[in-house]
Amino acid sequence: MSRRVVTRFAPSPTGMLHIGGVRTALFCWLFARKHGGTFILRVEDTDLSRSTDDNIRIIEEGLEWCGLLWDEGPVAGDPTKWVGPHGPYRQMQRMESHYKPAIQKLLAEGKAYRCRCTKEELDERRAVAEKAGKIFQYDRRCREANHDDSQPSSIRLKMPLGMESWLEDGDIVLRDLIKGDLRFPATSLDDWIIARTDGTPTYNFCVVVDDTDMEVSHVIRGDDHVANTPKQIALYHAMGFEAPAFAHVPMILGKDGAKLSKRHGATSITEYQQMGFLPSAVRLALARLSWTPKIDGRAIDTVEEELLTDAEMIQLFDLGDIQKSPARFDMDKLSWMNQKLIQRATWQEIEPHFRPFLPEAWTAKPDEWKAQAIQCTQKGKSLVEMAGFLEFVWAPPAEFDQGAAAKFITEAVKPALKDLCALTDYGHDALHAGFNSIIEKHGLKLKDLAQALRVALCGKPVSPPIFDTLMLLGRDEVVARVGKWA
């Protein structure tokens, strides 16, 4: 590639960070990592009525949790600091230094002009056009008026009229790396506003200035931005900038093909964290939405191949392998991936993500104990389910399954429970030998004693493997709980 690869994720902090945005950030991150480039986080906070510092922090925390760490961008949690040579990385902090000088330059070069048409006048003309069944387009009446700044005015870009040399047969051509060539007749686009009457620059203007200043080589974003792109391409030409390469990824739909909503599962990345998904599972599931990785030209098709690591995704990622049609999000597939990755992970990999679902007492436990607790609950589909398997550890059961107690804690089993309280060595082999001795003495089966113990210790006949259950509780706690039944 002739240009150094630089990608950016540029969310508007007007609400939660949704999975569509995270998928876009992930593709930007993968592409930058694949080519040894730079991944930038830029906050587009010009919507003053909805952008808040809290929403910015939600975005930062969501990306951090997902493991999508940026090379340049704001310092998380501190709006006054940033990392990288192109800061600040919040648009509202770039008004005086970047946007206003660029606007003045376009005015001075005659590539933009002041428009005194009021909102009321424009609304009236729009209504007339709609009544006539026509699409409203600004009539450029202020284009040659040479208005000065003595009266309030917006500023419009002089769009090409169809004869400019850089056009292709009168069209603005978007060579999209995913969708292919898209053509837009220049005459179908009106002179759009680059700065409002109050002086605030518009989104499409800021994007071009920022992407140029930050040396962005590839703009990877949702295909809802396709309509903005010909306007931006025209602005690149007007300002004498080299346009980046564009790649517009398809939208995400629910499993049923409908627009993604709460009924298909959570939409905010924060909710997936709260539901107990590993970040690695979320990364993998989102990466597979629209992207079909290929190994030696062959689409992956086995379970082993499908459970890609980050390193494998980076190695295989190719914008040419992203499909054009919308992707369908399957909550069941995410849960399957999550369970598989939980089972494959080491306890050290799981523990930082598991910790928030557990009481404070967890942090005081030794590493050996934590490793055992995680390893004996890794059959869980989520971190929430795994934490549920350990609820018995933190406090004696407040109530008991009376039916299970009557079924399993029988008169025949109670003497065995009393003998179990006499065991002192809680090593795995010692417990196994002790159990064998007790059940042989009382003519029981292992499951008879195990189920009675589960009810006595947990209040219900469900727990991790019985030896793990005993070792996690420790002898003193086991004796305290079982002694009431023996």
Side-chain angles (χ1 to χ4, degrees), residues 67-78:
L68 303 180
L69 304 182
W70 50 98
D71 304 304
E72 293 184 27
V75 171
D78 189 339

Side-chain angles (χ1 to χ4, degrees), residues 3-4 61 112 117 124 163 186 192 201 207 211 218 221 234 236 313 318 332 341 347 357 375 407 428 431 449:
R3 298 176 68 179
R4 181 176 67 92
E61 289 176 349
C117 298
E124 183 177 338
M163 303 299 294
W192 54 280
V207 164
D211 284 344
H218 292 75
R221 58 189 178 187
Y236 279 109
M313 285 196 289
D318 189 329
D332 293 335
L341 292 180
W347 78 267
F357 298 95
Q375 289 162 1
K407 179 178 179 180
H428 190 279
L431 277 176
L449 182 55

Side-chain angles (χ1 to χ4, degrees), residues 18-86:
H18 294 283
I19 61 171
V22 177
R23 196 268 305 261
T24 298
L26 174 63
F27 284 175
C28 292
W29 182 84
L30 287 171
F31 191 78
R33 294 291 175 267
K34 168 73 176 283
H35 297 285
T38 299
F39 172 54
I40 296 174
L41 171 62
R42 184 175 74 227
V43 180
E44 299 186 341
D45 58 347
T46 54
D47 187 342
L48 299 180
S49 64
R50 299 169 62 202
S51 298
T52 67
D53 284 344
D54 285 344
N55 286 341
I56 292 174
R57 189 64 191 130
I58 287 171
I59 291 170
E60 293 170 343
E61 289 176 349
L63 292 178
E64 287 178 324
W65 176 77
C66 281
L68 303 180
L69 304 182
W70 50 98
D71 304 304
E72 293 184 27
V75 171
D78 189 339
T80 66
K81 296 180 180 178
W82 61 83
V83 175
H86 304 104

Side-chain angles (χ1 to χ4, degrees), residues 300-435:
I300 62 172
D301 60 1
T302 68
V303 171
E304 289 300 318
E305 290 176 339
E306 192 161 11
L307 295 173
L308 297 169
T309 64
D310 284 345
E312 289 169 334
M313 285 196 289
I314 290 169
Q315 179 186 2
L316 297 174
F317 189 73
D318 189 329
L319 291 172
D321 292 332
I322 295 177
Q323 65 191 41
K324 300 177 183 180
S325 56
R328 298 196 180 196
F329 177 71
D330 187 343
M331 194 73 175
D332 293 335
K333 185 69 172 289
L334 171 59
S335 295
W336 175 81
M337 287 181 172
N338 197 53
Q339 186 173 29
K340 290 294 184 182
L341 292 180
I342 285 174
Q343 291 170 352
R344 293 182 173 206
T346 65
W347 78 267
Q348 294 97 330
E349 291 170 333
I350 292 175
E351 197 277 335
H353 306 294
F354 194 30
R355 195 183 309 148
F357 298 95
L358 300 163
E360 236 177 271
W362 170 269
T363 59
K365 296 290 187 181
D367 284 352
E368 183 180 354
W369 188 94
K370 290 178 182 177
Q372 181 182 2
I374 290 174
Q375 289 162 1
C376 75
T377 59
Q378 279 181 272
K379 65 178 181 180
K381 294 180 179 179
S382 71
L383 300 176
V384 171
E385 188 171 328
M386 288 172 62
F389 293 152
L390 295 178
E391 285 181 351
F392 73 93
V393 171
W394 315 114
E399 56 185 30
F400 293 84
D401 182 331
Q402 295 301 321
K407 179 178 179 180
F408 296 115
I409 305 181
T410 63
E411 292 302 319
V413 171
K414 286 181 179 180
L417 292 177
K418 185 174 182 180
D419 284 352
L420 184 130
C421 290
L423 297 178
T424 57
D425 188 343
Y426 269 46
H428 190 279
D429 291 342
L431 277 176
H432 195 277
F435 258 66

